[in-house]
Amino acid sequence: MAEPPPAPVRVLVVDDQQLVRDGIASLLGIQPGIEVVGTAADGREALERAAELAPDVVLMDVRMPGLDGVEATRALRRAQPACRVVMLTTFDDDAYVTLALRAGAEGYLLKDLGAAELADAVRLAHRGVAPLDAAVARRLAAALPAAGPAELTARELDILRLVATGSTNREIAARMYLSEGTVKNHVSRILGRLGLRDRTQAAVYARDHGLL
C-alpha cells in the first residue's frame, strides 16, 4: 500500500506592503507541498494570525510599522517554539541579520529569489535547516573562527552535524542515547571550543567545513 503524501507545509506571509504580501502568497501558494494559510500586515497581526492558524513556517518582513519583524519573531518563538520563522526582506544588512537570528529566526532571505527557490527555502526551514541568502552565508562564514573540525571529538562532530540540521537537544539525546543535560553540555562545549555564538553559527560552520 502506497504511503500517503506528506502534509503540505503551512505558511503565513507577513509584509506591510499589500502588493508584495499578496504576490508572495499567490506565487508560493501554487508551489507543490506548500499551503499559504494566511497573511498579515505587521508584527502584531502576525502574532494574532499565528495563534489562530498555527503555521509551520512564517515568512516575516524585517521593517514594519508598529511591531517590527525582529520583535515579532522573538515573541512568536516564545509563544510557538515549533513554528519556524524565516526573514524575507530587501535589507541586506549585517545588523538586521544578527538581530533577526538572535531573535530566533531560522533563516534570512532577500526578496530577489524566485518562487521555486523560496518554496525550497520554506521546506528546508520546516525540516530545521537554516535557509540563508548566499551573500549573507558567505559573510557569516567569513566571520567564523579558524579552528577546524579536528578540534572536536567524534561524538562532538556527530552532535554538531545534528545541531546543524536543526535537531533540538531532546531529539539529539533520543537519537544518541544520551541524557538531554549531557547533550546540552556537549553543545556548550562545541560552541565554546570553536568560538561560535549560537546554533545558527554552528549550522553555517558545519556547512562551511563540509560536515553536512
Side-chain angles (χ1 to χ4, degrees):
M1 187 173 178
E3 289 286 330
V9 181
R10 296 164 48 82
V11 180
L12 175 68
V13 177
V14 184
D15 197 289
D16 63 327
Q17 297 183 45
Q18 183 175 353
L19 186 62
V20 174
R21 182 172 69 245
D22 291 348
I24 293 171
S26 296
L27 290 172
L28 195 57
I30 61 174
Q31 298 298 311
I34 304 290
E35 179 187 1
V36 177
V37 295
T39 64
D42 57 40
R44 198 166 303 284
E45 186 181 2
L47 295 177
E48 295 170 356
R49 297 288 279 160
E52 172 192 350
L53 299 168
D56 300 310
V57 176
V58 174
L59 291 176
M60 183 85 74
D61 194 11
V62 172
R63 288 180 59 175
M64 295 181 289
L67 190 68
D68 69 15
V70 172
E71 290 306 315
T73 296
R74 184 174 287 111
L76 180 57
R77 293 290 292 152
R78 283 198 301 265
Q80 296 178 241
C83 180
R84 311 287 188 176
V85 180
V86 176
M87 312 310 288
L88 183 62
T89 179
T90 58
F91 295 98
D92 184 10
D93 185 292
D94 286 354
Y96 280 127
V97 175
T98 301
L99 287 171
L101 296 180
R102 285 181 175 173
E106 190 74 22
Y108 195 100
L109 300 171
L110 302 181
K111 288 178 180 174
D112 59 355
L113 76 173
E117 293 174 286
L118 181 57
D120 286 342
V122 166
R123 296 186 198 99
L124 284 173
H126 182 47
R127 296 202 302 268
V129 181
L132 293 171
D133 175 78
V136 170
R138 282 195 296 271
R139 291 202 303 274
L140 288 176
L144 293 176
E151 301 287 329
L152 304 179
T153 67
R155 170 165 285 182
E156 287 169 342
L157 283 171
D158 287 340
I159 291 174
L160 175 58
R161 290 187 183 98
L162 292 171
V163 167
T165 61
S167 298
T168 65
N169 288 350
R170 179 174 296 180
E171 290 166 342
I172 295 170
R175 183 161 178 174
M176 299 190 68
Y177 303 101
L178 300 170
S179 72
E180 195 170 344
T182 298
V183 172
K184 183 177 180 181
N185 290 337
H186 274 301
V187 171
S188 296
R189 211 159 31 238
I190 290 166
L191 296 179
R193 190 168 294 171
L194 297 178
L196 304 175
R197 185 181 62 244
D198 51 33
R199 296 170 88 96
T200 299
Q201 276 204 343
V204 174
Y205 178 95
R207 283 189 286 183
D208 191 49
H209 287 81
L211 298 178
L212 296 178

